[in-house]
Amino acid sequence: MNELLNGDMSRMRVEVTLAVPEDADQVDTEAVKARFPYGRISCEVVTGGLAAPSGRLNAERGDTRDAMYIAIAVIRAGYDDA
């Protein structure tokens, strides 16, 4: 990628879409974006993924149901033309 961008990693674009079944407002998109070392990063959260029984309930952590969330992530990488 560095070669394609002639060393200008600011031209790199990363678009992240996360599909989560519930509580989309709880996803810390800034923390997700911080995981990418360079480029212009965008992060969108949409409804999707899967909520399934985990078989475990941890009352000490405030769990009220035994659900686990499975998120689906789509990451698109590209660059702006010079």
Side-chain angles (χ1 to χ4, degrees):
M1 186 61 83
N2 190 37
E3 211 173 285
L4 285 171
L5 299 174
N6 294 323
D8 183 5
M9 298 308 281
S10 67
R11 290 178 43 218
M12 184 172 176
R13 294 182 43 93
V14 178
E15 298 172 353
V16 180
T17 303
L18 297 174
V20 296
E22 298 176 26
D23 301 324
D25 60 322
Q26 298 297 309
V27 176
D28 186 346
T29 57
E30 292 304 313
V32 172
K33 290 167 35 175
R35 300 303 299 169
F36 296 90
Y38 41 74
R40 287 186 293 158
I41 318 300
S42 65
C43 182
E44 177 185 17
V45 181
V46 300
T47 301
L50 175 68
S54 68
R56 301 180 63 84
L57 182 69
N58 189 341
E60 292 176 7
R61 299 190 81 187
D63 288 351
T64 58
R65 59 191 183 123
D66 71 335
M68 67 175 163
Y69 293 170
I70 300 169
I72 298 169
V74 176
I75 301 170
R76 294 175 298 280
Y79 58 93
D80 292 330
D81 291 329

